[in-house]
């Protein structure tokens, strides 16, 4: 999200495989009951036990407030697996949708 340069499919697949193999990363896919994918949330731990969160919402689901639900569900799933000392998100200042989603998720709380 912060890299302004195009990423090749091969680079993306290598990156994804590295994340899937890592014990310091967790990726969850958000799906409707029908199985349609709505987005993903990824957590990565640093050596201090803190997690950084990254979330993306499928283009067809944007504007539906599903981002906040994905954040809440992902954080709840994460707390079942491993409770990080802190979870942080890096958001571009002009990404109003992400800021709103994280604010809604925070206001309505996580488990």
């Amino acid at each position: 999200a912060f890299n302004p340069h195009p990423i090749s499919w091969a680079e993306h697949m290598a990156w994804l495989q590295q994340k899937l193999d890592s014990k310091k990363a967790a990726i969850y896919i958000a799906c409707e009951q029908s199985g349609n994918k709505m987005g993903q949330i990824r957590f990565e731990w640093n050596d201090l036990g803190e997690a950084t969160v990254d979330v993306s919402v499928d283009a067809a689901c944007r504007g539906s407030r599903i981002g906040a639900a994905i954040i809440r569900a992902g954080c709840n799933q994460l707390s079942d697996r491993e409770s990080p000392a802190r979870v942080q998100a890096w958001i571009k200042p002009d990404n109003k949708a992400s800021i709103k989603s994280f604010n809604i998720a925070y206001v309505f709380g996580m488990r």
Side-chain angles (χ1 to χ4, degrees), residues 9 19 23 25 55 60 63 82 92 95:
W9 183 251
K19 298 300 177 200
K23 293 189 186 316
V55 63
E82 178 178 336
K92 291 179 181 178
N95 189 338

Side-chain angles (χ1 to χ4, degrees), residues 4-66:
H5 305 291
I7 298 169
S8 72
W9 183 251
E11 289 172 311
H12 174 70
M13 293 307 294
W15 171 88
L16 178 60
Q17 191 61 57
Q18 185 264 334
K19 298 300 177 200
L20 293 172
D21 291 343
S22 174
K23 293 189 186 316
K24 291 190 172 193
I27 301 173
Y28 301 105
I29 307 298
C31 299
E32 295 175 315
Q33 287 184 337
S34 65
N36 291 332
K37 292 166 185 64
M38 301 180 327
Q40 66 84 30
I41 188 165
R42 177 174 42 89
F43 298 92
E44 289 192 58
W45 287 264
N46 64 23
D47 292 335
L48 301 174
E50 300 168 328
T52 300
V53 61
D54 176 82
V55 63
S56 61
V57 175
D58 184 272
C61 298
R62 292 184 186 149
S64 67
R65 291 194 168 194
I66 195 67

